[in-house]
Amino acid sequence: MTTWNRGEDRPMLGDDLIDRIRAHAAHPDDDELGVAANDLLHELFSGYPVENLARLLHAGDDTCVRTGTWLLSELGERAAPMTGELPALLAHPLRYVRFYALDVVLVNGRHGDVLAPALKLAQDPEAAVRWKALSFLAGASQDQLAAGASRLEDGRVRDLTEWLAGGPAPRDVVARLGDPDLATRLFAAAAAARLAAEDTGPLEAAAGAEDREISSFASERLGSPR
């Protein structure tokens, strides 16, 4: 375990907070758990090593993994040393873990081994995870999309990722918003968001879509939640 000393006579507060989170994990509604998690976030921003979150991620407890992933999602670029954990988090059975992990990938994902499983979450069975995946698709860089596509097997997600990375024309984006395939509609909505700085037409079309997932995302981007 990485150590960090905030003073010779002062205990390792970050370590103590992780111990408290693990101790209270059996009672996820316990207020003490939330207090300890927020205090630990403060310690992480103050210099406590992010690598020590492995104690939560590998605790074998869903609450600990969820808390550890949430902390990573709040840390921005400070979470970069933990990118090796992301493939497992993106495949975690708990939807909240997959949800938070996508935030970490967006900020820190550079390699296909991390980006490819993030792209696949556009087909996640949970609507909340698909919404976060849609936000990821809208915000990912061209390099991230290309790196992720290079590690995807042949199939719909790879084809859609390459289409998105290629900068599709507005007319094509609008046409795909009505596609029978949900993943295609999600990628089209992401493309509409990416085009919005120059042309809000596709995003306005998405806001009027019958698909609630698409319309609510687009309306939020336009600043008019439905």
Side-chain angles (χ1 to χ4, degrees):
M1 180 181 66
T2 307
T3 59
W4 175 60
N5 198 344
R6 296 184 67 185
E8 294 181 0
D9 300 324
R10 186 166 184 176
M12 299 285 289
L13 180 55
D15 288 349
D16 291 345
L17 289 167
I18 288 178
D19 289 339
R20 284 166 58 190
I21 292 169
R22 290 173 59 124
H24 287 271
H27 307 284
D29 295 329
D30 189 339
D31 290 342
E32 180 66 20
L33 180 63
V35 171
N38 281 298
D39 287 348
L40 181 54
L41 182 61
H42 174 77
E43 293 304 307
L44 288 160
F45 274 115
S46 297
Y48 182 68
V50 66
E51 292 89 343
N52 285 353
L53 289 180
R55 291 184 56 204
L56 295 178
L57 300 179
H58 297 285
D61 176 89
D62 282 350
T63 300
C64 287
V65 178
R66 175 180 174 175
T67 302
T69 311
W70 172 76
L71 288 164
L72 290 175
S73 75
E74 293 289 310
L75 288 172
E77 293 181 352
R78 292 174 184 262
M82 301 297 285
T83 54
E85 303 283 350
L86 289 172
L89 297 177
L90 291 164
H92 196 276
L94 196 64
R95 65 177 178 177
Y96 297 103
V97 172
R98 303 195 301 277
F99 182 96
Y100 293 133
L102 281 164
D103 285 329
V104 189
V105 177
L106 182 60
V107 177
N108 299 288
R110 299 291 180 270
H111 304 292
D113 289 344
V114 169
L115 292 158
L119 291 164
K120 290 181 180 179
L121 291 183
Q123 294 183 313
D124 196 271
E126 294 284 352
V129 179
R130 292 196 301 271
W131 182 88
K132 182 62 77 169
L134 179 48
S135 297
F136 170 78
L137 292 170
S141 69
Q142 296 293 106
D143 287 344
Q144 286 178 312
L145 293 174
S150 72
R151 298 307 300 269
L152 287 168
E153 61 274 11
D154 290 341
R156 179 174 288 116
V157 174
R158 178 167 182 164
D159 291 345
L160 289 170
T161 301
E162 291 175 343
W163 172 79
L164 184 63
R171 180 178 296 180
D172 190 14
V173 172
V174 173
R176 293 190 183 217
L177 288 170
D179 195 278
D181 176 61
L182 175 57
T184 299
R185 297 196 301 273
L186 290 172
F187 273 81
R194 297 169 74 91
L195 286 169
E198 298 178 358
D199 182 359
T200 60
L203 196 58
E204 291 168 357
E210 294 183 5
D211 186 327
R212 179 67 178 175
E213 287 188 50
I214 302 303
S215 64
S216 61
F217 169 81
S219 295
E220 181 177 296
R221 289 295 176 114
L222 288 167
S224 55
R226 295 181 61 178

